[in-house]
Amino acid sequence: MGKRIVMVGAGLSGAVIGRMLSEAGHDVTVVDSRSHIGGNCYTKRDAETDVMVHVYGPHIFHTDDEEVWNYVNRFTTFLPYKNRVKSTVGGQVYSLPINLHTINQFFGKALRPDEARTFIATQADCSITDPQSFEDQALAFIGRDLYEAFFKGYTEKQWGCSPTALPASILRRLPVRFNYDDNYFAHRFQGMPEHGYTPMIAAILDHPNVTVQLDTVFDPATAAEWDHVFWSGPLDGFFGYRLGRLGYRTLDFKTFRHEGDYQGCAVMNYGESTVPYTRITEHKHFAPWESHKGSVLYEEYSRACGPKDIPYYPIRLVEEKALLADYVAEAQKTLNVTFVGRLGTYRYLDMDVTIREALDCGLAYLRAQENGTTMPAFAVDPL
Ligand code: UDP
């Protein structure tokens, strides 16, 4: 007999786990408080320009995980897309991630790779041997000049605090290259779904054992009515925020339109703190195989997430981590609920990692069923 399972949230986690369990014969209901599926990956065509818009900001699919790549390609066609990000600083446009072109342009040099390596080593602060903070990591890695131009202001805007307070792991997301490779991501597989992410997630959810209910708020008090609940909403939200709120950054997007090509690339970062937004996204460049006269753009502003805002980036500083530990302890006392995804586990997850964890989590549930064991509150330790 199939179990009655509810997935709270129709984003990647809910869709992927829901699909796996429905294929195994379980009866899956996916609820979402929003009026659309896809969570923050949701894409939609702009009525005025017909451009495919990444409604909750840029999402570029990249992964080293072949199984995840094969999984997403099973549900939609991915077309080749390379993320080439630029950064405007001091009235000039530079290429990111920091590469030989950036170094040569920034320092007005014509260095070859080995020369650049040696030069950057003279810039870097070699007294920092075990960098803990974002700032220390940057100073040890690239030195003060590049750090202040490209990272300091941007990071202060993005995270609303000093990079001395942020963990080094955030910077470790970005490489430094001593060649002219300006592909933002170093992963083997990268692409963009031909028709955006919404049809991909719709295809994942398209199974006879899956029922989707939009505009539906799930009440955690009803969890016991289900055989199992997979909660991809905010972890603290499940508990009515009773211990306090986990800190997030939210984003505001100021939309504007333009005739023709506004900036020549999908993502233009602004490193300086004097520019109030972090970046401008020109959505039509995410679909270079399409052609549009008009253009729709987002100026992206980051700020502290209030109770009515959409949470985007978990902050995870010392204070938040202490509160997180308290919520994790609460979650471990729940009987039939598993917390999944970026909000459910309060982690800065890329899409591919979210899918990998969802596949593993679905499998863990099926194994637990087979073995008669209890599915834990977390398939991955959020601490
Ligand atoms: N970052 C920065 N300057 C940039 C781009 C990124 O300082 O031009 C820092 C910033 O702190 C950001 C982090 O590096 O939060 C990770 O950047 P990524 O592009 O991965 O951020 P995402 O696209 O996930 O917001």
Side-chain angles (χ1 to χ4, degrees):
M1 246 294 270
K3 301 279 184 195
R4 280 182 67 251
I5 297 168
V6 65
M7 316 297 313
V8 185
L12 282 178
S13 299
V16 171
I17 300 171
R19 176 72 185 214
M20 189 182 279
L21 303 192
S22 64
E23 283 178 354
H26 298 297
D27 182 4
V28 174
T29 302
V30 180
V31 301
D32 202 297
S33 57
R34 291 178 178 171
S35 54
H36 61 74
I37 59 165
N40 282 4
C41 304
Y42 177 62
T43 48
K44 186 182 161 209
R45 283 203 187 274
D46 175 47
E48 254 178 68
T49 59
D50 206 35
V51 167
M52 186 63 76
V53 173
H54 291 207
V55 176
Y56 300 94
H59 283 73
I60 297 107
F61 201 90
H62 56 97
T63 189
D64 260 340
D65 189 328
E66 193 160 7
E67 197 184 326
V68 167
W69 182 240
N70 290 339
Y71 183 85
V72 291
N73 277 277
R74 194 179 128 196
F75 295 101
T76 197
T77 304
F78 271 77
L79 293 179
Y81 180 82
K82 287 235 184 324
N83 196 29
R84 294 203 167 87
V85 179
K86 307 290 170 210
S87 182
T88 297
V89 175
Q92 291 214 51
V93 178
Y94 297 92
S95 140
L96 286 183
I98 292 185
N99 62 69
L100 196 47
H101 201 173
T102 327
I103 295 166
N104 278 331
Q105 192 188 352
F106 186 78
F107 292 103
K109 294 184 182 291
L111 302 172
R112 290 184 293 109
D114 286 348
E115 294 167 341
R117 236 178 250 282
T118 310
F119 174 72
I120 290 298
T122 67
Q123 299 283 307
D125 184 342
C126 53
S127 69
I128 304 168
T129 48
D130 181 22
Q132 296 296 316
S133 75
F134 183 109
E135 178 165 297
D136 280 354
Q137 176 77 43
L139 294 175
F141 216 33
I142 49 169
R144 185 162 296 278
D145 291 348
L146 288 169
Y147 162 63
E148 288 190 346
F150 295 104
F151 297 113
K152 188 166 185 285
Y154 187 100
T155 298
E156 284 165 358
K157 290 187 280 186
Q158 170 70 12
W159 295 97
C161 64
S162 161
T164 54
L166 291 167
S169 57
I170 295 180
L171 183 69
R172 284 196 212 108
R173 289 171 60 83
L174 307 180
V176 173
R177 302 213 182 96
F178 295 99
N179 57 31
Y180 290 97
D181 180 3
D182 64 349
N183 184 352
Y184 201 66
F185 301 115
H187 285 149
R188 257 192 313 159
F189 307 105
Q190 188 174 173
M192 199 59 92
E194 184 176 7
H195 304 293
Y197 291 97
T198 310
M200 175 182 95
I201 294 169
I204 298 174
L205 289 166
D206 183 19
H207 187 279
N209 292 348
V210 175
T211 309
V212 178
Q213 292 172 0
L214 298 175
D215 300 303
T216 305
V217 176
F218 182 84
D219 180 358
T222 63
E225 295 169 17
W226 301 84
D227 289 318
H228 204 82
V229 179
F230 289 87
W231 175 272
S232 70
L235 172 60
D236 48 355
F238 185 86
F239 300 100
Y241 306 99
R242 66 174 181 242
L243 306 175
R245 280 181 181 267
L246 290 168
Y248 280 95
R249 301 293 287 171
T250 191
L251 300 176
D252 294 319
F253 300 109
K254 202 163 140 194
T255 305
F256 65 101
R257 290 184 177 73
H258 180 81
E259 272 306 296
D261 191 353
Y262 180 78
Q263 64 181 19
C265 64
V267 181
M268 176 68 76
N269 289 356
Y270 287 82
E272 282 148 333
S273 43
T274 45
V275 177
Y277 40 85
T278 51
R279 56 187 175 185
I280 295 183
T281 297
E282 185 160 23
H283 295 268
K284 70 178 178 184
H285 292 302
F286 286 133
W289 54 89
E290 294 186 4
S291 109
H292 300 278
K293 278 210 193 83
S295 195
V296 54
L297 297 100
Y298 274 3
E299 270 174 11
E300 185 172 323
Y301 298 80
S302 172
R303 64 178 168 82
C305 183
K308 296 222 168 88
D309 299 319
I310 300 171
Y312 283 81
Y313 295 90
I315 298 174
R316 284 182 82 93
L317 294 180
V318 179
E319 214 175 292
E320 284 84 13
K321 278 199 154 168
L323 185 57
L324 172 64
D326 294 341
Y327 275 119
V328 167
E330 285 296 296
Q332 274 156 351
K333 288 186 224 149
T334 62
L335 285 179
N336 64 330
V337 185
T338 300
F339 296 83
V340 294
R342 181 176 53 98
L343 303 176
T345 65
Y346 192 59
R347 284 173 310 141
Y348 188 175
L349 296 183
D350 287 334
M351 289 183 284
D352 63 325
V353 180
T354 307
I355 293 174
R356 159 54 55 204
E357 291 190 0
L359 291 169
D360 292 347
C361 181
L363 212 55
Y365 180 81
L366 296 178
R367 290 226 177 95
Q369 286 299 303
E370 264 168 40
N371 303 334
T373 53
T374 310
M375 179 68 188
F378 296 97
V380 179
D381 181 6
L383 295 168

